[in-house]
Amino acid sequence: MKEIVYNKLVRNRIPQIIEESGKRCETEILSNERYLEMLDKKLDEELAEYQIEKNIEELADLLEVVYAVAKARGCSVAELEQIRTEKKEKRGAFDKKIFLIKVTED
């Protein structure tokens, strides 16, 4: 019998997909504290995958985890978007491709 240990946060339907493929899996429901910890690890994982692959699907995965983190921290996607918009209005976006080299103060 082959066994692979993952020990990672997965999307809600993954256990069902595994079982529908004829395999068995062991899962647990995390406490809120452990869930936030695993979401932070998942952010790192998804960002690393995006950095390697540079594809939009990986970027979408990263965004899904960002939304989950926001929700777990009591912030809706709409509230997150509002904060992003306010920050963009106050400090700008990144679309002008500005690279800051240095600041000199007299």
Side-chain angles (χ1 to χ4, degrees):
M1 175 169 52
K2 183 179 176 184
E3 181 177 276
I4 301 172
V5 177
Y6 288 96
N7 287 328
K8 69 178 191 175
L9 186 65
V10 295
R11 290 174 178 262
N12 297 346
R13 292 196 60 239
I14 295 301
Q16 177 186 346
I17 292 167
I18 291 169
E19 290 179 3
E20 286 172 355
S21 76
K23 299 174 186 174
R24 288 175 282 133
C25 63
E26 182 179 329
T27 64
E28 75 175 277
I29 304 301
L30 300 174
S31 68
N32 290 342
E33 183 179 322
R34 185 87 168 123
Y35 177 55
L36 283 168
E37 181 183 325
M38 291 297 100
L39 279 171
D40 287 343
K41 283 188 174 199
K42 194 69 171 177
L43 273 174
D44 291 341
E45 175 189 327
E46 296 299 344
L47 179 58
E49 288 175 8
Y50 172 74
Q51 294 290 5
I52 292 166
E53 311 252 342
K54 303 282 194 242
N55 72 41
I56 295 301
E57 188 172 315
E58 294 300 338
L59 196 57
D61 288 344
L62 183 59
L63 191 56
E64 189 66 35
V65 178
V66 167
Y67 289 163
V69 170
K71 184 177 177 183
R73 296 199 179 275
C75 180
S76 71
V77 172
E79 290 169 318
L80 180 64
E81 181 60 21
Q82 179 63 36
I83 293 166
R84 186 199 67 80
T85 300
E86 288 171 4
K87 195 160 187 178
K88 179 180 176 181
E89 289 171 2
K90 187 183 271 186
R91 302 185 61 91
F94 293 95
D95 56 340
K96 291 187 179 179
K97 305 174 189 174
I98 298 169
F99 182 76
L100 181 65
I101 297 168
K102 66 180 176 180
V103 174
T104 304
E105 185 177 335
D106 293 327

mmCIF file of all heavy atoms in Angstrom, residues 22-63:
data_model
loop_
_atom_site.group_PDB
_atom_site.id
_atom_site.type_symbol
_atom_site.label_atom_id
_atom_site.label_comp_id
_atom_site.label_asym_id
_atom_site.label_seq_id
_atom_site.Cartn_x
_atom_site.Cartn_y
_atom_site.Cartn_z
ATOM 1 N N GLY A 22 -11.140 6.715 -5.962
ATOM 2 C CA GLY A 22 -10.930 5.382 -5.416
ATOM 3 C C GLY A 22 -9.883 5.297 -4.326
ATOM 4 O O GLY A 22 -9.557 4.210 -3.853
ATOM 5 N N LYS A 23 -9.367 6.420 -3.900
ATOM 6 C CA LYS A 23 -8.355 6.451 -2.836
ATOM 7 C C LYS A 23 -9.020 6.873 -1.536
ATOM 8 O O LYS A 23 -10.157 7.325 -1.521
ATOM 9 C CB LYS A 23 -7.243 7.433 -3.200
ATOM 10 C CG LYS A 23 -6.516 7.075 -4.482
ATOM 11 C CD LYS A 23 -5.527 8.157 -4.851
ATOM 12 C CE LYS A 23 -4.908 7.870 -6.209
ATOM 13 N NZ LYS A 23 -4.052 8.968 -6.659
ATOM 14 N N ARG A 24 -8.306 6.713 -0.442
ATOM 15 C CA ARG A 24 -8.782 7.159 0.860
ATOM 16 C C ARG A 24 -7.866 8.265 1.352
ATOM 17 O O ARG A 24 -6.699 8.316 0.999
ATOM 18 C CB ARG A 24 -8.767 6.005 1.859
ATOM 19 C CG ARG A 24 -9.846 4.975 1.588
ATOM 20 C CD ARG A 24 -9.735 3.768 2.507
ATOM 21 N NE ARG A 24 -8.639 2.942 1.971
ATOM 22 C CZ ARG A 24 -7.656 2.405 2.684
ATOM 23 N NH1 ARG A 24 -7.632 2.571 3.988
ATOM 24 N NH2 ARG A 24 -6.725 1.702 2.129
ATOM 25 N N CYS A 25 -8.404 9.156 2.184
ATOM 26 C CA CYS A 25 -7.576 10.212 2.753
ATOM 27 C C CYS A 25 -7.984 10.444 4.206
ATOM 28 O O CYS A 25 -9.105 10.146 4.601
ATOM 29 C CB CYS A 25 -7.665 11.497 1.945
ATOM 30 S SG CYS A 25 -9.295 12.260 1.889
ATOM 31 N N GLU A 26 -7.062 10.953 4.945
ATOM 32 C CA GLU A 26 -7.299 11.309 6.346
ATOM 33 C C GLU A 26 -7.213 12.817 6.452
ATOM 34 O O GLU A 26 -6.271 13.426 5.958
ATOM 35 C CB GLU A 26 -6.228 10.656 7.227
ATOM 36 C CG GLU A 26 -6.401 10.907 8.693
ATOM 37 C CD GLU A 26 -5.324 10.218 9.524
ATOM 38 O OE1 GLU A 26 -4.841 9.147 9.124
ATOM 39 O OE2 GLU A 26 -4.967 10.780 10.572
ATOM 40 N N THR A 27 -8.210 13.432 7.093
ATOM 41 C CA THR A 27 -8.254 14.884 7.235
ATOM 42 C C THR A 27 -8.590 15.254 8.672
ATOM 43 O O THR A 27 -8.986 14.396 9.461
ATOM 44 C CB THR A 27 -9.314 15.505 6.304
ATOM 45 O OG1 THR A 27 -10.600 15.034 6.693
ATOM 46 C CG2 THR A 27 -9.051 15.166 4.840
ATOM 47 N N GLU A 28 -8.450 16.507 8.988
ATOM 48 C CA GLU A 28 -8.934 17.047 10.252
ATOM 49 C C GLU A 28 -9.391 18.473 10.024
ATOM 50 O O GLU A 28 -8.945 19.128 9.090
ATOM 51 C CB GLU A 28 -7.860 16.990 11.350
ATOM 52 C CG GLU A 28 -6.773 18.026 11.224
ATOM 53 C CD GLU A 28 -5.797 18.029 12.388
ATOM 54 O OE1 GLU A 28 -6.106 18.649 13.426
ATOM 55 O OE2 GLU A 28 -4.725 17.420 12.243
ATOM 56 N N ILE A 29 -10.296 18.944 10.845
ATOM 57 C CA ILE A 29 -10.748 20.327 10.804
ATOM 58 C C ILE A 29 -9.885 21.113 11.786
ATOM 59 O O ILE A 29 -9.788 20.752 12.963
ATOM 60 C CB ILE A 29 -12.246 20.449 11.168
ATOM 61 C CG1 ILE A 29 -13.104 19.576 10.242
ATOM 62 C CG2 ILE A 29 -12.687 21.910 11.128
ATOM 63 C CD1 ILE A 29 -12.991 19.889 8.769
ATOM 64 N N LEU A 30 -9.266 22.147 11.311
ATOM 65 C CA LEU A 30 -8.315 22.919 12.115
ATOM 66 C C LEU A 30 -9.015 23.915 13.035
ATOM 67 O O LEU A 30 -10.094 24.420 12.712
ATOM 68 C CB LEU A 30 -7.372 23.693 11.186
ATOM 69 C CG LEU A 30 -6.532 22.853 10.222
ATOM 70 C CD1 LEU A 30 -5.770 23.763 9.275
ATOM 71 C CD2 LEU A 30 -5.578 21.952 10.979
ATOM 72 N N SER A 31 -8.366 24.217 14.138
ATOM 73 C CA SER A 31 -8.813 25.314 14.998
ATOM 74 C C SER A 31 -8.575 26.617 14.242
ATOM 75 O O SER A 31 -7.814 26.654 13.270
ATOM 76 C CB SER A 31 -8.001 25.323 16.300
ATOM 77 O OG SER A 31 -6.643 25.672 16.020
ATOM 78 N N ASN A 32 -9.206 27.689 14.682
ATOM 79 C CA ASN A 32 -9.016 28.982 14.028
ATOM 80 C C ASN A 32 -7.548 29.407 14.021
ATOM 81 O O ASN A 32 -7.042 29.912 13.017
ATOM 82 C CB ASN A 32 -9.872 30.058 14.701
ATOM 83 C CG ASN A 32 -11.349 29.856 14.439
ATOM 84 O OD1 ASN A 32 -11.737 29.148 13.513
ATOM 85 N ND2 ASN A 32 -12.176 30.461 15.265
ATOM 86 N N GLU A 33 -6.868 29.192 15.135
ATOM 87 C CA GLU A 33 -5.460 29.577 15.243
ATOM 88 C C GLU A 33 -4.591 28.778 14.274
ATOM 89 O O GLU A 33 -3.759 29.332 13.554
ATOM 90 C CB GLU A 33 -4.977 29.360 16.687
ATOM 91 C CG GLU A 33 -3.549 29.787 16.925
ATOM 92 C CD GLU A 33 -3.130 29.583 18.373
ATOM 93 O OE1 GLU A 33 -3.957 29.815 19.284
ATOM 94 O OE2 GLU A 33 -1.973 29.184 18.577
ATOM 95 N N ARG A 34 -4.792 27.475 14.240
ATOM 96 C CA ARG A 34 -4.021 26.598 13.340
ATOM 97 C C ARG A 34 -4.373 26.894 11.874
ATOM 98 O O ARG A 34 -3.506 26.841 11.007
ATOM 99 C CB ARG A 34 -4.303 25.141 13.695
ATOM 100 C CG ARG A 34 -3.491 24.161 12.925
ATOM 101 C CD ARG A 34 -2.155 23.895 13.594
ATOM 102 N NE ARG A 34 -1.555 22.733 12.967
ATOM 103 C CZ ARG A 34 -0.361 22.747 12.407
ATOM 104 N NH1 ARG A 34 0.381 23.830 12.474
ATOM 105 N NH2 ARG A 34 0.119 21.677 11.821
ATOM 106 N N TYR A 35 -5.640 27.198 11.619
ATOM 107 C CA TYR A 35 -6.086 27.538 10.273
ATOM 108 C C TYR A 35 -5.336 28.765 9.756
ATOM 109 O O TYR A 35 -4.817 28.762 8.633
ATOM 110 C CB TYR A 35 -7.597 27.789 10.286
ATOM 111 C CG TYR A 35 -8.206 28.215 8.980
ATOM 112 C CD1 TYR A 35 -8.048 27.461 7.816
ATOM 113 C CD2 TYR A 35 -8.972 29.375 8.910
ATOM 114 C CE1 TYR A 35 -8.629 27.856 6.623
ATOM 115 C CE2 TYR A 35 -9.564 29.772 7.719
ATOM 116 C CZ TYR A 35 -9.392 29.017 6.576
ATOM 117 O OH TYR A 35 -9.970 29.409 5.399
ATOM 118 N N LEU A 36 -5.235 29.810 10.570
ATOM 119 C CA LEU A 36 -4.490 31.009 10.163
ATOM 120 C C LEU A 36 -3.016 30.684 9.914
ATOM 121 O O LEU A 36 -2.416 31.178 8.963
ATOM 122 C CB LEU A 36 -4.627 32.111 11.209
ATOM 123 C CG LEU A 36 -5.947 32.859 11.189
ATOM 124 C CD1 LEU A 36 -6.092 33.725 12.429
ATOM 125 C CD2 LEU A 36 -6.077 33.695 9.923
ATOM 126 N N GLU A 37 -2.460 29.850 10.757
ATOM 127 C CA GLU A 37 -1.063 29.437 10.592
ATOM 128 C C GLU A 37 -0.878 28.712 9.255
ATOM 129 O O GLU A 37 0.067 28.973 8.508
ATOM 130 C CB GLU A 37 -0.668 28.522 11.754
ATOM 131 C CG GLU A 37 0.745 28.029 11.729
ATOM 132 C CD GLU A 37 1.034 27.062 12.875
ATOM 133 O OE1 GLU A 37 0.478 27.239 13.973
ATOM 134 O OE2 GLU A 37 1.816 26.120 12.644
ATOM 135 N N MET A 38 -1.793 27.799 8.951
ATOM 136 C CA MET A 38 -1.700 27.032 7.706
ATOM 137 C C MET A 38 -2.005 27.899 6.488
ATOM 138 O O MET A 38 -1.435 27.694 5.419
ATOM 139 C CB MET A 38 -2.638 25.820 7.744
ATOM 140 C CG MET A 38 -2.219 24.728 8.725
ATOM 141 S SD MET A 38 -0.612 23.979 8.319
ATOM 142 C CE MET A 38 0.476 24.811 9.457
ATOM 143 N N LEU A 39 -2.887 28.882 6.632
ATOM 144 C CA LEU A 39 -3.128 29.821 5.537
ATOM 145 C C LEU A 39 -1.865 30.614 5.219
ATOM 146 O O LEU A 39 -1.545 30.839 4.048
ATOM 147 C CB LEU A 39 -4.270 30.783 5.882
ATOM 148 C CG LEU A 39 -5.683 30.262 5.683
ATOM 149 C CD1 LEU A 39 -6.695 31.250 6.264
ATOM 150 C CD2 LEU A 39 -5.978 29.996 4.213
ATOM 151 N N ASP A 40 -1.142 31.028 6.252
ATOM 152 C CA ASP A 40 0.101 31.752 6.029
ATOM 153 C C ASP A 40 1.112 30.881 5.273
ATOM 154 O O ASP A 40 1.796 31.346 4.364
ATOM 155 C CB ASP A 40 0.695 32.246 7.347
ATOM 156 C CG ASP A 40 -0.088 33.408 7.941
ATOM 157 O OD1 ASP A 40 -0.880 34.042 7.217
ATOM 158 O OD2 ASP A 40 0.089 33.683 9.142
ATOM 159 N N LYS A 41 1.182 29.608 5.635
ATOM 160 C CA LYS A 41 2.068 28.684 4.919
ATOM 161 C C LYS A 41 1.595 28.505 3.480
ATOM 162 O O LYS A 41 2.402 28.414 2.553
ATOM 163 C CB LYS A 41 2.128 27.323 5.614
ATOM 164 C CG LYS A 41 2.979 27.304 6.843
ATOM 165 C CD LYS A 41 3.155 25.888 7.362
ATOM 166 C CE LYS A 41 4.146 25.933 8.506
ATOM 167 N NZ LYS A 41 4.718 24.624 8.779
ATOM 168 N N LYS A 42 0.275 28.431 3.302
ATOM 169 C CA LYS A 42 -0.293 28.261 1.966
ATOM 170 C C LYS A 42 0.018 29.473 1.094
ATOM 171 O O LYS A 42 0.293 29.333 -0.102
ATOM 172 C CB LYS A 42 -1.804 28.031 2.069
ATOM 173 C CG LYS A 42 -2.436 27.519 0.815
ATOM 174 C CD LYS A 42 -1.976 26.106 0.544
ATOM 175 C CE LYS A 42 -2.759 25.488 -0.593
ATOM 176 N NZ LYS A 42 -2.275 24.149 -0.898
ATOM 177 N N LEU A 43 -0.006 30.657 1.679
ATOM 178 C CA LEU A 43 0.381 31.867 0.936
ATOM 179 C C LEU A 43 1.806 31.735 0.412
ATOM 180 O O LEU A 43 2.081 32.021 -0.764
ATOM 181 C CB LEU A 43 0.293 33.110 1.827
ATOM 182 C CG LEU A 43 -1.034 33.825 1.923
ATOM 183 C CD1 LEU A 43 -0.951 34.937 2.955
ATOM 184 C CD2 LEU A 43 -1.480 34.365 0.584
ATOM 185 N N ASP A 44 2.707 31.302 1.277
ATOM 186 C CA ASP A 44 4.101 31.101 0.868
ATOM 187 C C ASP A 44 4.194 30.074 -0.265
ATOM 188 O O ASP A 44 4.902 30.275 -1.250
ATOM 189 C CB ASP A 44 4.953 30.629 2.048
ATOM 190 C CG ASP A 44 5.165 31.694 3.108
ATOM 191 O OD1 ASP A 44 4.983 32.893 2.805
ATOM 192 O OD2 ASP A 44 5.515 31.327 4.244
ATOM 193 N N GLU A 45 3.469 28.962 -0.096
ATOM 194 C CA GLU A 45 3.489 27.882 -1.093
ATOM 195 C C GLU A 45 2.977 28.372 -2.455
ATOM 196 O O GLU A 45 3.609 28.140 -3.486
ATOM 197 C CB GLU A 45 2.615 26.721 -0.593
ATOM 198 C CG GLU A 45 2.451 25.577 -1.563
ATOM 199 C CD GLU A 45 1.410 24.574 -1.091
ATOM 200 O OE1 GLU A 45 1.259 24.367 0.139
ATOM 201 O OE2 GLU A 45 0.732 23.996 -1.953
ATOM 202 N N GLU A 46 1.840 29.050 -2.446
ATOM 203 C CA GLU A 46 1.251 29.514 -3.699
ATOM 204 C C GLU A 46 2.106 30.594 -4.357
ATOM 205 O O GLU A 46 2.246 30.623 -5.585
ATOM 206 C CB GLU A 46 -0.181 30.008 -3.484
ATOM 207 C CG GLU A 46 -1.147 28.943 -3.033
ATOM 208 C CD GLU A 46 -1.320 27.790 -4.017
ATOM 209 O OE1 GLU A 46 -0.935 27.904 -5.205
ATOM 210 O OE2 GLU A 46 -1.858 26.752 -3.597
ATOM 211 N N LEU A 47 2.697 31.470 -3.560
ATOM 212 C CA LEU A 47 3.579 32.492 -4.120
ATOM 213 C C LEU A 47 4.803 31.844 -4.757
ATOM 214 O O LEU A 47 5.208 32.220 -5.865
ATOM 215 C CB LEU A 47 4.007 33.498 -3.050
ATOM 216 C CG LEU A 47 4.959 34.602 -3.529
ATOM 217 C CD1 LEU A 47 4.357 35.399 -4.678
ATOM 218 C CD2 LEU A 47 5.331 35.506 -2.372
ATOM 219 N N ALA A 48 5.381 30.867 -4.086
ATOM 220 C CA ALA A 48 6.548 30.163 -4.635
ATOM 221 C C ALA A 48 6.186 29.474 -5.955
ATOM 222 O O ALA A 48 6.964 29.525 -6.923
ATOM 223 C CB ALA A 48 7.075 29.142 -3.629
ATOM 224 N N GLU A 49 5.006 28.849 -6.008
ATOM 225 C CA GLU A 49 4.571 28.202 -7.248
ATOM 226 C C GLU A 49 4.399 29.224 -8.360
ATOM 227 O O GLU A 49 4.796 28.984 -9.507
ATOM 228 C CB GLU A 49 3.279 27.425 -7.026
ATOM 229 C CG GLU A 49 3.475 26.169 -6.200
ATOM 230 C CD GLU A 49 2.181 25.438 -5.870
ATOM 231 O OE1 GLU A 49 1.109 25.808 -6.409
ATOM 232 O OE2 GLU A 49 2.245 24.488 -5.076
ATOM 233 N N TYR A 50 3.820 30.372 -8.034
ATOM 234 C CA TYR A 50 3.671 31.417 -9.047
ATOM 235 C C TYR A 50 5.040 31.901 -9.521
ATOM 236 O O TYR A 50 5.260 32.091 -10.718
ATOM 237 C CB TYR A 50 2.847 32.605 -8.524
ATOM 238 C CG TYR A 50 2.880 33.746 -9.509
ATOM 239 C CD1 TYR A 50 2.145 33.676 -10.691
ATOM 240 C CD2 TYR A 50 3.689 34.847 -9.294
ATOM 241 C CE1 TYR A 50 2.208 34.701 -11.635
ATOM 242 C CE2 TYR A 50 3.765 35.862 -10.230
ATOM 243 C CZ TYR A 50 3.020 35.785 -11.391
ATOM 244 O OH TYR A 50 3.106 36.789 -12.325
ATOM 245 N N GLN A 51 5.964 32.101 -8.601
ATOM 246 C CA GLN A 51 7.296 32.585 -8.966
ATOM 247 C C GLN A 51 8.001 31.625 -9.922
ATOM 248 O O GLN A 51 8.725 32.052 -10.818
ATOM 249 C CB GLN A 51 8.163 32.815 -7.720
ATOM 250 C CG GLN A 51 7.684 33.922 -6.822
ATOM 251 C CD GLN A 51 7.849 35.305 -7.432
ATOM 252 O OE1 GLN A 51 8.234 35.474 -8.575
ATOM 253 N NE2 GLN A 51 7.535 36.324 -6.657
ATOM 254 N N ILE A 52 7.761 30.339 -9.745
ATOM 255 C CA ILE A 52 8.370 29.334 -10.618
ATOM 256 C C ILE A 52 7.648 29.268 -11.964
ATOM 257 O O ILE A 52 8.259 29.319 -13.024
ATOM 258 C CB ILE A 52 8.367 27.950 -9.936
ATOM 259 C CG1 ILE A 52 9.325 27.956 -8.743
ATOM 260 C CG2 ILE A 52 8.736 26.839 -10.927
ATOM 261 C CD1 ILE A 52 9.152 26.773 -7.821
ATOM 262 N N GLU A 53 6.332 29.141 -11.914
ATOM 263 C CA GLU A 53 5.531 28.885 -13.113
ATOM 264 C C GLU A 53 5.196 30.144 -13.912
ATOM 265 O O GLU A 53 5.025 30.077 -15.124
ATOM 266 C CB GLU A 53 4.234 28.180 -12.731
ATOM 267 C CG GLU A 53 4.445 26.987 -11.828
ATOM 268 C CD GLU A 53 4.227 25.673 -12.516
ATOM 269 O OE1 GLU A 53 3.602 25.668 -13.581
ATOM 270 O OE2 GLU A 53 4.681 24.668 -11.972
ATOM 271 N N LYS A 54 5.024 31.264 -13.212
ATOM 272 C CA LYS A 54 4.652 32.540 -13.838
ATOM 273 C C LYS A 54 3.379 32.428 -14.680
ATOM 274 O O LYS A 54 3.257 33.056 -15.719
ATOM 275 C CB LYS A 54 5.795 33.062 -14.722
ATOM 276 C CG LYS A 54 7.105 33.261 -14.023
ATOM 277 C CD LYS A 54 7.125 34.516 -13.210
ATOM 278 C CE LYS A 54 8.539 34.851 -12.798
ATOM 279 N NZ LYS A 54 8.786 34.862 -11.406
ATOM 280 N N ASN A 55 2.408 31.632 -14.211
ATOM 281 C CA ASN A 55 1.171 31.542 -14.985
ATOM 282 C C ASN A 55 -0.018 32.054 -14.177
ATOM 283 O O ASN A 55 0.006 32.117 -12.958
ATOM 284 C CB ASN A 55 0.938 30.130 -15.542
ATOM 285 C CG ASN A 55 0.542 29.125 -14.502
ATOM 286 O OD1 ASN A 55 -0.250 29.400 -13.611
ATOM 287 N ND2 ASN A 55 1.081 27.918 -14.613
ATOM 288 N N ILE A 56 -1.051 32.415 -14.891
ATOM 289 C CA ILE A 56 -2.228 33.041 -14.298
ATOM 290 C C ILE A 56 -2.971 32.084 -13.363
ATOM 291 O O ILE A 56 -3.536 32.523 -12.358
ATOM 292 C CB ILE A 56 -3.167 33.576 -15.407
ATOM 293 C CG1 ILE A 56 -2.464 34.697 -16.184
ATOM 294 C CG2 ILE A 56 -4.483 34.074 -14.833
ATOM 295 C CD1 ILE A 56 -2.047 35.887 -15.334
ATOM 296 N N GLU A 57 -2.956 30.794 -13.649
ATOM 297 C CA GLU A 57 -3.631 29.834 -12.770
ATOM 298 C C GLU A 57 -3.014 29.853 -11.376
ATOM 299 O O GLU A 57 -3.730 29.816 -10.376
ATOM 300 C CB GLU A 57 -3.563 28.420 -13.360
ATOM 301 C CG GLU A 57 -4.408 27.442 -12.590
ATOM 302 C CD GLU A 57 -4.522 26.093 -13.261
ATOM 303 O OE1 GLU A 57 -4.741 26.052 -14.488
ATOM 304 O OE2 GLU A 57 -4.393 25.081 -12.545
ATOM 305 N N GLU A 58 -1.710 29.926 -11.296
ATOM 306 C CA GLU A 58 -1.038 30.006 -9.991
ATOM 307 C C GLU A 58 -1.356 31.332 -9.308
ATOM 308 O O GLU A 58 -1.516 31.391 -8.094
ATOM 309 C CB GLU A 58 0.477 29.827 -10.138
ATOM 310 C CG GLU A 58 0.908 28.458 -10.613
ATOM 311 C CD GLU A 58 0.484 27.314 -9.704
ATOM 312 O OE1 GLU A 58 0.217 27.532 -8.507
ATOM 313 O OE2 GLU A 58 0.420 26.180 -10.200
ATOM 314 N N LEU A 59 -1.464 32.391 -10.084
ATOM 315 C CA LEU A 59 -1.830 33.691 -9.530
ATOM 316 C C LEU A 59 -3.257 33.651 -8.975
ATOM 317 O O LEU A 59 -3.536 34.198 -7.906
ATOM 318 C CB LEU A 59 -1.702 34.765 -10.614
ATOM 319 C CG LEU A 59 -1.663 36.207 -10.162
ATOM 320 C CD1 LEU A 59 -0.531 36.472 -9.172
ATOM 321 C CD2 LEU A 59 -1.526 37.123 -11.374
ATOM 322 N N ALA A 60 -4.152 32.945 -9.668
ATOM 323 C CA ALA A 60 -5.530 32.782 -9.188
ATOM 324 C C ALA A 60 -5.552 31.988 -7.885
ATOM 325 O O ALA A 60 -6.325 32.301 -6.969
ATOM 326 C CB ALA A 60 -6.377 32.089 -10.247
ATOM 327 N N ASP A 61 -4.693 30.965 -7.767
ATOM 328 C CA ASP A 61 -4.596 30.200 -6.521
ATOM 329 C C ASP A 61 -4.149 31.104 -5.381
ATOM 330 O O ASP A 61 -4.678 31.041 -4.271
ATOM 331 C CB ASP A 61 -3.604 29.037 -6.666
ATOM 332 C CG ASP A 61 -4.124 27.916 -7.538
ATOM 333 O OD1 ASP A 61 -5.342 27.862 -7.806
ATOM 334 O OD2 ASP A 61 -3.303 27.061 -7.946
ATOM 335 N N LEU A 62 -3.183 31.942 -5.657
ATOM 336 C CA LEU A 62 -2.686 32.879 -4.650
ATOM 337 C C LEU A 62 -3.801 33.820 -4.201
ATOM 338 O O LEU A 62 -3.986 34.064 -3.001
ATOM 339 C CB LEU A 62 -1.500 33.670 -5.214
ATOM 340 C CG LEU A 62 -0.806 34.642 -4.284
ATOM 341 C CD1 LEU A 62 -0.242 33.954 -3.055
ATOM 342 C CD2 LEU A 62 0.303 35.359 -5.034
ATOM 343 N N LEU A 63 -4.564 34.313 -5.142
ATOM 344 C CA LEU A 63 -5.677 35.202 -4.829
ATOM 345 C C LEU A 63 -6.734 34.499 -3.974
ATOM 346 O O LEU A 63 -7.269 35.086 -3.021
ATOM 347 C CB LEU A 63 -6.296 35.730 -6.124
ATOM 348 C CG LEU A 63 -7.292 36.865 -6.009
ATOM 349 C CD1 LEU A 63 -6.703 38.059 -5.280
ATOM 350 C CD2 LEU A 63 -7.759 37.271 -7.402
#
